[in-house]
Structure formats: C-alpha cells, structure tokens
CSV table of all heavy atoms in Angstrom, one decimal:
chain,number,residue,atom,x,y,z
A,1,PHE,N,71.1,-18.2,-43.7
A,1,PHE,CA,69.9,-18.9,-44.0
A,1,PHE,C,68.8,-18.6,-43.0
A,1,PHE,O,67.7,-18.2,-43.4
A,1,PHE,CB,70.1,-20.5,-43.9
A,1,PHE,CG,70.5,-21.1,-45.2
A,1,PHE,CD1,71.9,-21.3,-45.5
A,1,PHE,CD2,69.6,-21.5,-46.2
A,1,PHE,CE1,72.3,-21.9,-46.7
A,1,PHE,CE2,70.0,-22.1,-47.3
A,1,PHE,CZ,71.4,-22.3,-47.6
A,2,SER,N,69.1,-18.7,-41.7
A,2,SER,CA,68.2,-18.5,-40.7
A,2,SER,C,67.7,-17.0,-40.6
A,2,SER,O,66.5,-16.7,-40.4
A,2,SER,CB,68.8,-18.9,-39.3
A,2,SER,OG,69.1,-20.2,-39.3
A,3,LEU,N,68.6,-16.1,-40.8
A,3,LEU,CA,68.3,-14.7,-40.8
A,3,LEU,C,67.4,-14.3,-41.9
A,3,LEU,O,66.4,-13.5,-41.7
A,3,LEU,CB,69.6,-13.8,-40.8
A,3,LEU,CG,70.3,-13.8,-39.5
A,3,LEU,CD1,71.7,-13.2,-39.7
A,3,LEU,CD2,69.5,-12.9,-38.5
A,4,ILE,N,67.6,-14.8,-43.1
A,4,ILE,CA,66.7,-14.4,-44.2
A,4,ILE,C,65.3,-15.0,-44.0
A,4,ILE,O,64.4,-14.3,-44.2
A,4,ILE,CB,67.3,-15.0,-45.5
A,4,ILE,CG1,68.6,-14.2,-45.9
A,4,ILE,CG2,66.3,-14.9,-46.7
A,4,ILE,CD1,69.3,-14.7,-47.1
A,5,ASP,N,65.2,-16.2,-43.5
A,5,ASP,CA,63.9,-16.8,-43.3
A,5,ASP,C,63.2,-16.0,-42.1
A,5,ASP,O,62.0,-15.8,-42.2
A,5,ASP,CB,64.0,-18.3,-43.0
A,5,ASP,CG,64.1,-19.1,-44.2
A,5,ASP,OD1,63.8,-18.6,-45.3
A,5,ASP,OD2,64.5,-20.3,-44.1
A,6,GLY,N,64.0,-15.7,-41.1
A,6,GLY,CA,63.4,-15.0,-40.0
A,6,GLY,C,62.9,-13.6,-40.3
A,6,GLY,O,61.9,-13.2,-39.9
A,7,LEU,N,63.7,-12.9,-41.1
A,7,LEU,CA,63.3,-11.5,-41.6
A,7,LEU,C,62.1,-11.6,-42.6
A,7,LEU,O,61.4,-10.6,-42.7
A,7,LEU,CB,64.5,-10.8,-42.1
A,7,LEU,CG,65.4,-10.3,-41.0
A,7,LEU,CD1,66.7,-9.8,-41.5
A,7,LEU,CD2,64.7,-9.2,-40.2
A,8,THR,N,62.0,-12.6,-43.3
A,8,THR,CA,60.9,-12.8,-44.2
A,8,THR,C,59.6,-12.9,-43.3
A,8,THR,O,58.6,-12.2,-43.6
A,8,THR,CB,61.0,-14.1,-45.0
A,8,THR,OG1,62.1,-14.0,-45.9
A,8,THR,CG2,59.7,-14.3,-45.9
A,9,LEU,N,59.7,-13.6,-42.3
A,9,LEU,CA,58.5,-13.7,-41.3
A,9,LEU,C,58.3,-12.4,-40.7
A,9,LEU,O,57.1,-12.0,-40.5
A,9,LEU,CB,58.8,-14.8,-40.3
A,9,LEU,CG,57.7,-15.1,-39.3
A,9,LEU,CD1,56.5,-15.6,-40.0
A,9,LEU,CD2,58.1,-16.1,-38.2
A,10,HIS,N,59.4,-11.6,-40.4
A,10,HIS,CA,59.2,-10.3,-39.8
A,10,HIS,C,58.4,-9.4,-40.7
A,10,HIS,O,57.5,-8.7,-40.3
A,10,HIS,CB,60.6,-9.7,-39.5
A,10,HIS,CG,60.6,-8.2,-39.3
A,10,HIS,ND1,60.2,-7.7,-38.1
A,10,HIS,CD2,61.0,-7.2,-40.1
A,10,HIS,CE1,60.3,-6.3,-38.2
A,10,HIS,NE2,60.8,-6.0,-39.4
A,11,PHE,N,58.7,-9.4,-42.0
A,11,PHE,CA,58.0,-8.5,-42.9
A,11,PHE,C,56.6,-9.0,-43.2
A,11,PHE,O,55.7,-8.2,-43.5
A,11,PHE,CB,58.8,-8.4,-44.3
A,11,PHE,CG,60.0,-7.5,-44.1
A,11,PHE,CD1,61.3,-8.0,-44.3
A,11,PHE,CD2,59.9,-6.2,-43.9
A,11,PHE,CE1,62.4,-7.2,-44.2
A,11,PHE,CE2,61.0,-5.3,-43.8
A,11,PHE,CZ,62.3,-5.9,-43.9
A,12,MET,N,56.4,-10.3,-43.1
A,12,MET,CA,55.0,-10.9,-43.2
A,12,MET,C,54.1,-10.3,-42.2
A,12,MET,O,53.0,-9.9,-42.4
A,12,MET,CB,55.0,-12.4,-43.1
A,12,MET,CG,55.5,-13.2,-44.3
A,12,MET,SD,55.5,-15.0,-44.1
A,12,MET,CE,53.7,-15.3,-43.9
A,13,ILE,N,54.6,-10.3,-40.9
A,13,ILE,CA,53.8,-9.9,-39.8
A,13,ILE,C,53.8,-8.4,-39.6
A,13,ILE,O,52.8,-7.8,-39.1
A,13,ILE,CB,54.3,-10.6,-38.5
A,13,ILE,CG1,54.2,-12.1,-38.7
A,13,ILE,CG2,53.6,-10.1,-37.3
A,13,ILE,CD1,54.8,-12.9,-37.6
A,14,ASN,N,54.9,-7.7,-39.9
A,14,ASN,CA,55.0,-6.3,-39.5
A,14,ASN,C,55.0,-5.3,-40.7
A,14,ASN,O,55.7,-4.4,-40.8
A,14,ASN,CB,56.3,-6.1,-38.8
A,14,ASN,CG,56.3,-6.8,-37.4
A,14,ASN,OD1,55.6,-6.4,-36.5
A,14,ASN,ND2,57.2,-7.8,-37.3
A,15,HIS,N,54.1,-5.7,-41.7
A,15,HIS,CA,54.0,-4.8,-42.8
A,15,HIS,C,52.9,-3.7,-42.6
A,15,HIS,O,52.1,-3.9,-41.7
A,15,HIS,CB,53.7,-5.5,-44.1
A,15,HIS,CG,52.4,-6.2,-44.0
A,15,HIS,ND1,52.3,-7.5,-43.6
A,15,HIS,CD2,51.1,-5.8,-44.4
A,15,HIS,CE1,51.0,-7.9,-43.6
A,15,HIS,NE2,50.3,-6.9,-44.1
A,16,SER,N,52.9,-2.6,-43.3
A,16,SER,CA,51.9,-1.6,-43.1
A,16,SER,C,51.9,-0.8,-44.4
A,16,SER,O,52.9,-0.6,-45.1
A,16,SER,CB,52.2,-0.7,-42.0
A,16,SER,OG,51.3,0.4,-41.9
A,17,ASN,N,50.7,-0.3,-44.7
A,17,ASN,CA,50.5,0.5,-45.9
A,17,ASN,C,50.6,2.0,-45.6
A,17,ASN,O,50.7,2.8,-46.5
A,17,ASN,CB,49.1,0.3,-46.6
A,17,ASN,CG,49.1,-1.0,-47.4
A,17,ASN,OD1,50.0,-1.2,-48.2
A,17,ASN,ND2,48.1,-1.8,-47.2
A,18,THR,N,50.7,2.4,-44.3
A,18,THR,CA,50.8,3.8,-43.9
A,18,THR,C,52.2,4.2,-43.8
A,18,THR,O,53.1,3.6,-43.2
A,18,THR,CB,50.1,4.0,-42.6
A,18,THR,OG1,50.8,3.3,-41.6
A,18,THR,CG2,48.7,3.5,-42.6
A,19,PRO,N,52.5,5.4,-44.4
A,19,PRO,CA,53.9,5.9,-44.4
A,19,PRO,C,54.4,6.1,-42.9
A,19,PRO,O,55.6,5.9,-42.6
A,19,PRO,CB,53.8,7.3,-45.1
A,19,PRO,CG,52.6,7.1,-46.0
A,19,PRO,CD,51.7,6.2,-45.2
A,20,GLU,N,53.5,6.5,-42.0
A,20,GLU,CA,53.8,6.7,-40.6
A,20,GLU,C,54.4,5.4,-40.0
A,20,GLU,O,55.4,5.5,-39.3
A,20,GLU,CB,52.6,7.2,-39.8
A,20,GLU,CG,52.2,8.6,-40.3
A,20,GLU,CD,51.3,8.6,-41.5
A,20,GLU,OE1,50.9,7.5,-42.0
A,20,GLU,OE2,51.0,9.7,-42.1
A,21,GLU,N,53.7,4.3,-40.2
A,21,GLU,CA,54.1,3.1,-39.6
A,21,GLU,C,55.4,2.6,-40.2
A,21,GLU,O,56.3,2.1,-39.5
A,21,GLU,CB,53.0,2.0,-39.8
A,21,GLU,CG,51.8,2.2,-38.9
A,21,GLU,CD,52.2,2.1,-37.4
A,21,GLU,OE1,53.0,1.2,-37.0
A,21,GLU,OE2,51.7,3.0,-36.6
A,22,ARG,N,55.5,2.7,-41.5
A,22,ARG,CA,56.7,2.3,-42.2
A,22,ARG,C,57.9,3.1,-41.8
A,22,ARG,O,59.1,2.6,-41.6
A,22,ARG,CB,56.6,2.4,-43.7
A,22,ARG,CG,55.7,1.3,-44.3
A,22,ARG,CD,55.9,1.2,-45.8
A,22,ARG,NE,55.6,2.4,-46.5
A,22,ARG,CZ,54.4,2.7,-47.0
A,22,ARG,NH1,53.4,1.9,-46.9
A,22,ARG,NH2,54.2,3.9,-47.7
A,23,ALA,N,57.7,4.4,-41.5
A,23,ALA,CA,58.8,5.3,-41.0
A,23,ALA,C,59.4,4.9,-39.7
A,23,ALA,O,60.5,5.1,-39.4
A,23,ALA,CB,58.3,6.7,-41.0
A,24,LYS,N,58.6,4.2,-38.9
A,24,LYS,CA,59.0,3.8,-37.5
A,24,LYS,C,59.9,2.5,-37.6
A,24,LYS,O,60.6,2.2,-36.6
A,24,LYS,CB,57.8,3.5,-36.6
A,24,LYS,CG,56.9,4.7,-36.3
A,24,LYS,CD,55.7,4.2,-35.5
A,24,LYS,CE,54.8,5.4,-35.2
A,24,LYS,NZ,53.6,5.0,-34.5
A,25,ARG,N,59.9,1.8,-38.7
A,25,ARG,CA,60.6,0.6,-38.8
A,25,ARG,C,61.9,0.8,-39.6
A,25,ARG,O,62.1,1.7,-40.3
A,25,ARG,CB,59.8,-0.5,-39.5
A,25,ARG,CG,58.5,-0.8,-38.7
A,25,ARG,CD,57.9,-2.1,-39.2
A,25,ARG,NE,56.6,-2.3,-38.4
A,25,ARG,CZ,55.4,-2.0,-38.9
A,25,ARG,NH1,55.3,-1.5,-40.1
A,25,ARG,NH2,54.4,-2.2,-38.1
A,26,SER,N,62.8,-0.1,-39.4
A,26,SER,CA,64.1,-0.1,-40.1
A,26,SER,C,63.9,-0.3,-41.6
A,26,SER,O,63.0,-1.1,-42.0
A,26,SER,CB,65.0,-1.2,-39.6
A,26,SER,OG,65.3,-1.0,-38.2
A,27,THR,N,64.6,0.3,-42.4
A,27,THR,CA,64.5,0.2,-43.8
A,27,THR,C,65.2,-1.1,-44.3
A,27,THR,O,66.1,-1.6,-43.6
A,27,THR,CB,65.1,1.3,-44.6
A,27,THR,OG1,66.5,1.4,-44.3
A,27,THR,CG2,64.5,2.7,-44.2
A,28,PRO,N,64.8,-1.7,-45.4
A,28,PRO,CA,65.4,-2.9,-45.9
A,28,PRO,C,66.9,-2.7,-46.1
A,28,PRO,O,67.7,-3.6,-45.8
A,28,PRO,CB,64.7,-3.2,-47.2
A,28,PRO,CG,63.3,-2.7,-46.9
A,28,PRO,CD,63.5,-1.4,-46.1
A,29,SER,N,67.3,-1.5,-46.6
A,29,SER,CA,68.7,-1.3,-46.9
A,29,SER,C,69.5,-1.2,-45.6
A,29,SER,O,70.7,-1.7,-45.5
A,29,SER,CB,68.9,0.0,-47.7
A,29,SER,OG,68.4,1.1,-46.9
A,30,ARG,N,69.0,-0.7,-44.5
A,30,ARG,CA,69.7,-0.6,-43.2
A,30,ARG,C,69.8,-2.0,-42.7
A,30,ARG,O,70.9,-2.4,-42.1
A,30,ARG,CB,68.9,0.3,-42.3
A,30,ARG,CG,69.7,0.6,-41.0
A,30,ARG,CD,68.9,1.7,-40.3
A,30,ARG,NE,69.6,1.9,-39.0
A,30,ARG,CZ,69.0,2.2,-37.8
A,30,ARG,NH1,67.7,2.2,-37.8
A,30,ARG,NH2,69.6,2.4,-36.7
A,31,LEU,N,68.8,-2.8,-42.8
A,31,LEU,CA,68.9,-4.2,-42.3
A,31,LEU,C,69.9,-5.0,-43.1
A,31,LEU,O,70.7,-5.7,-42.5
A,31,LEU,CB,67.5,-4.9,-42.4
A,31,LEU,CG,66.5,-4.6,-41.4
A,31,LEU,CD1,65.1,-5.1,-41.8
A,31,LEU,CD2,66.8,-5.1,-40.0
A,32,ALA,N,69.9,-4.8,-44.4
A,32,ALA,CA,70.9,-5.5,-45.2
A,32,ALA,C,72.3,-5.1,-44.9
A,32,ALA,O,73.2,-5.9,-44.8
A,32,ALA,CB,70.6,-5.2,-46.7
A,33,ALA,N,72.5,-3.8,-44.6
A,33,ALA,CA,73.9,-3.3,-44.2
A,33,ALA,C,74.3,-4.0,-42.9
A,33,ALA,O,75.5,-4.4,-42.7
A,33,ALA,CB,73.9,-1.8,-44.1
A,34,PHE,N,73.4,-4.1,-41.9
A,34,PHE,CA,73.7,-4.7,-40.7
A,34,PHE,C,74.1,-6.2,-40.8
A,34,PHE,O,75.0,-6.7,-40.2
A,34,PHE,CB,72.5,-4.6,-39.7
A,34,PHE,CG,72.7,-3.5,-38.6
A,34,PHE,CD1,72.7,-2.2,-39.0
A,34,PHE,CD2,72.9,-3.9,-37.3
A,34,PHE,CE1,72.9,-1.2,-38.0
A,34,PHE,CE2,73.1,-2.9,-36.3
A,34,PHE,CZ,73.1,-1.6,-36.7
A,35,ILE,N,73.3,-6.9,-41.7
A,35,ILE,CA,73.7,-8.3,-41.9
A,35,ILE,C,75.0,-8.4,-42.5
A,35,ILE,O,75.8,-9.3,-42.1
A,35,ILE,CB,72.6,-8.9,-42.8
A,35,ILE,CG1,71.3,-9.0,-42.0
A,35,ILE,CG2,73.0,-10.4,-43.2
A,35,ILE,CD1,70.1,-9.5,-42.8
C-alpha cells in the first residue's frame, strides 16, 4: 500500500516530457520487478 502511494507521488513530482530526462530514471517495469 505504502509503496504504491509513495511511487505515485514520485511520478507526480519527477515526470518529464524529454526523452533524455526519462532515460535517466528507472523504468516502470524495472521498479515493478524490484517490488
């Protein structure tokens, strides 16, 4: 519960429309695998 809400806030604050910025961040699938 806590992780899903926390990562929702993470994507709210750390989104970007530029491919360069998105490439620096972990992908949703990688985060999902870690969880």
Side-chain angles (χ1 to χ4, degrees):
F1 270 93
S2 298
L3 282 166
I4 291 175
D5 280 343
L7 284 168
T8 298
L9 184 61
H10 165 76
F11 286 114
M12 283 179 67
I13 296 171
N14 296 294
H15 63 270
S16 172
N17 281 312
T18 65
E20 293 80 8
E21 287 298 317
R22 288 198 299 270
K24 294 177 183 178
R25 300 197 179 98
S26 300
T27 64
S29 58
R30 193 171 171 216
L31 283 169
F34 255 70
I35 292 175

